[in-house]
Each structure stands twice: as structure tokens, then as C-alpha cells.
Amino acid sequence: MHFKDYLSKLKGTNDLLDKVANLEHTEKLTSREKFEYPSHVSPAELKRGLTSGKFLKGSFRASRDNYLEGEVLADGQDQPIFIQGRNHLNRAVNEDLVAVEMLPQSEWSYPSSLVLEDRAQADDENTSKDDLKEASEARHKELARPSGRVVGIVKRNWRQYCGMLQQSTLRETNRHLFVPAERRIPKIRIETRQAEGSLWKAHCGSD
């Protein structure tokens, strides 16, 4: 008998069942769900890249305003490396030690909180579409910051987090959403059989 089947026949074992790998769910995942993020480079490739200078190592700091943005304070760099987007963050969590690959200057970006002050108005009859495009590109180059993408996690710096459990509206599902109180931490999809009728306790770590 599979250990999971054995536990399911006992009473009061929901906490143990939550710790058993959900092999059935993993097998049902489509290829798109399995590979939502780019694969991290192998440990050997990571070591070679850090040694050769292809990759840069530093501490990741998530933005307080947008958890899909952050920066890496890389060793030997004069300014932080800007990271933007789910794929470029590649599962990095605030304060993780990560390896970063620089993007070409043509792909550099800037924080979404910055507003283009000189953006031309589309209804301006005296401004052509070419002028609008040229002004936008010039402003983008002015605001763009050295950008990169996370290719590997050198060291995780996870801790306990405060938050609330947002239960799914679907019945008979074990998949729910954990919403951290700290805005630098993204929402996390978890599986638990203890959501309904149970008191959830969130633990706080030192900030």
C-alpha cells in the first residue's frame, strides 16, 4: 500500500497528508504548467559562469511597490542590476543570493513606477506618429537602467512569513493562495487539507 493511501484511511492525519508529495497532481500537469519558468543553469555551469565573469553574483532586493521588479547588488558593480518580469526574476525571492546574466543594452528597462513626463499626447494634431515614436524611444533610453535576468539561485534566504490564507471558491480543492503581509514576497499557491474549519497560524520572522 502506498503511504499516502495508508494515511488517508486514518483519522486526524491531514497535517501528515499535506507533507506527502502529490505525485498524481504532478503527473497531470501539462508541459506548459511544468515549465512556466526558465530552467536554472546546472551547478557546474553556474560555477563556470561565475568564475569566468559571464554571470554576476549578488543579493536580490525585491521592490516594495512591485514584487515583479527588483535589483541585484552584484559584487564589483558600480550600480545595481535591474530585474523586471516574472521570467527574469525566475523564482528569486527577496534577499536570496542569486546569479545574474546581463541583458544587451537594447533590452534594458526601467521601473514601472517611473512616468514618462514628456510623453506626447496622441490627440495633438501637430505631432505625427513618427514623432511620438521617436520621443518615446529617446525617453526610454534616458530612463533605462542596466538590466539582467536571474539564471540560478546560489543560496536561498527563506524565513517564516506572516500572511493570510485566501481560500479557493472551488469546492473539494486543496489548492489555495497564501497572501504574505510583506509586499516584497509574491503570493504563493499552496496545497493543504487544513484550510476549512481550521485555525491558521502565521509565523513572523525578524524583518
Side-chain angles (χ1 to χ4, degrees), residues 56-62 70-83 94-100 102 145-146 150 184:
L56 301 173
K57 181 176 67 176
S59 179
F60 173 70
R61 295 288 186 270
E71 59 184 24
V72 173
L73 307 175
D75 301 337
Q77 296 296 302
D78 296 332
Q79 56 181 315
I81 302 170
F82 182 57
I83 312 291
N94 188 48
E95 296 183 353
D96 280 350
L97 189 63
V98 301
V100 175
M102 294 296 298
R145 295 168 50 182
V150 175
R184 290 184 172 185

Side-chain angles (χ1 to χ4, degrees), residues 88-111:
H88 285 170
L89 291 174
N90 204 2
R91 291 160 285 177
V93 177
N94 188 48
E95 296 183 353
D96 280 350
L97 189 63
V98 301
V100 175
E101 182 178 33
M102 294 296 298
L103 294 175
Q105 189 169 354
S106 60
E107 298 181 24
W108 287 4
S109 187
Y110 52 88

Side-chain angles (χ1 to χ4, degrees), residues 35-173:
F35 303 102
E36 180 179 354
Y37 293 95
S39 299
H40 290 152
V41 299
S42 66
E45 186 179 353
L46 182 63
K47 184 177 180 180
R48 289 195 299 269
L50 291 173
T51 302
S52 66
K54 178 182 178 181
F55 303 146
L56 301 173
K57 181 176 67 176
S59 179
F60 173 70
R61 295 288 186 270
S63 169
R64 291 184 180 275
D65 302 318
N66 186 347
Y67 70 87
L68 292 179
E69 295 179 346
E71 59 184 24
V72 173
L73 307 175
D75 301 337
Q77 296 296 302
D78 296 332
Q79 56 181 315
I81 302 170
F82 182 57
I83 312 291
Q84 185 180 58
R86 195 182 304 274
N87 284 345
H88 285 170
L89 291 174
N90 204 2
R91 291 160 285 177
V93 177
N94 188 48
E95 296 183 353
D96 280 350
L97 189 63
V98 301
V100 175
E101 182 178 33
M102 294 296 298
L103 294 175
Q105 189 169 354
S106 60
E107 298 181 24
W108 287 4
S109 187
Y110 52 88
S112 58
S113 58
L114 294 179
V115 179
L116 300 182
E117 300 174 358
D118 299 331
R119 178 181 295 172
Q121 298 298 321
D123 57 356
D124 188 346
E125 296 180 357
N126 297 321
T127 305
S128 67
K129 291 184 178 180
D130 290 338
D131 291 336
L132 286 172
K133 182 178 180 181
E134 185 177 346
S136 177
E137 291 176 351
R139 189 60 173 164
H140 176 84
K141 290 181 180 180
E142 179 184 345
L143 295 175
R145 295 168 50 182
S147 305
R149 65 184 184 96
V150 175
V151 296
I153 308 297
V154 179
K155 181 181 179 181
R156 286 291 188 189
N157 197 22
W158 289 342
R159 55 181 174 80
Q160 293 178 324
Y161 299 102
C162 292
M164 61 174 291
L165 188 70
Q166 183 177 320
Q167 295 189 34
S168 173
T169 57
L170 301 177
R171 293 184 177 181
E172 299 181 358
T173 181

